[in-house]
Amino acid sequence: MDSSKRVGRVIFLVGIAAWLTTHTLTGASAAPSAQKLVLTGTVTAISQVHARPPSRRNWAVTIRVEKVKAGKFSQPEFTFTIHSPARAGLAVGRRCTIEATWTGQGYVVDETRPIKDEGTAR
């Protein structure tokens, strides 16, 4: 192998090592400390999304987080996908309590479990 290819390969490997170090230190690839979230909030938006097959979660629901009952979550809003907001009893302006589980890539709301209706927002 000539020296120019060796130098190129070393630069490439150093770049990968730097990227991995940065992402590990910032926590970008680490799982959150809480594997389960329980949030209460008000539905602020429901919009159709295009989920990749085989997923049938074609709706995104955004809630304004009012209370974190379990886990750690510091954002003002939480958005999740679901197959049928109507079947889950979700509508804009309704308050609900949702349970979300960390999958390693993000939080997922299991819509086979009931989403607790808390009534309309005050």
Side-chain angles (χ1 to χ4, degrees), residues 21-110:
T21 301
T22 303
H23 282 76
T24 301
L25 293 176
T26 62
S29 62
S33 59
Q35 294 293 315
K36 187 174 191 179
L37 283 178
V38 180
L39 306 172
T40 297
T42 300
V43 177
T44 59
I46 297 175
S47 56
Q48 195 165 17
V49 296
H50 299 286
R52 292 183 186 182
S55 176
R56 296 180 58 186
R57 295 172 173 263
N58 291 321
W59 294 92
V61 178
T62 300
I63 64 168
R64 181 181 60 246
V65 177
E66 297 163 5
K67 185 175 185 180
V68 179
K69 293 184 172 185
K72 291 184 180 181
F73 190 78
S74 60
Q75 301 298 313
E77 292 184 328
F78 180 78
T79 300
F80 59 95
T81 57
I82 196 166
H83 172 64
S84 175
R87 279 190 181 165
L90 298 171
V92 173
R94 300 292 294 183
R95 293 184 73 237
C96 62
T97 297
I98 57 136
E99 290 185 21
T101 305
W102 181 255
T103 65
Q105 297 179 3
Y107 284 101
V108 173
V109 173
D110 180 4

Side-chain angles (χ1 to χ4, degrees), residues 11-22:
I11 291 172
F12 177 74
L13 293 174
V14 168
I16 289 174
W19 183 84
L20 288 172
T21 301
T22 303

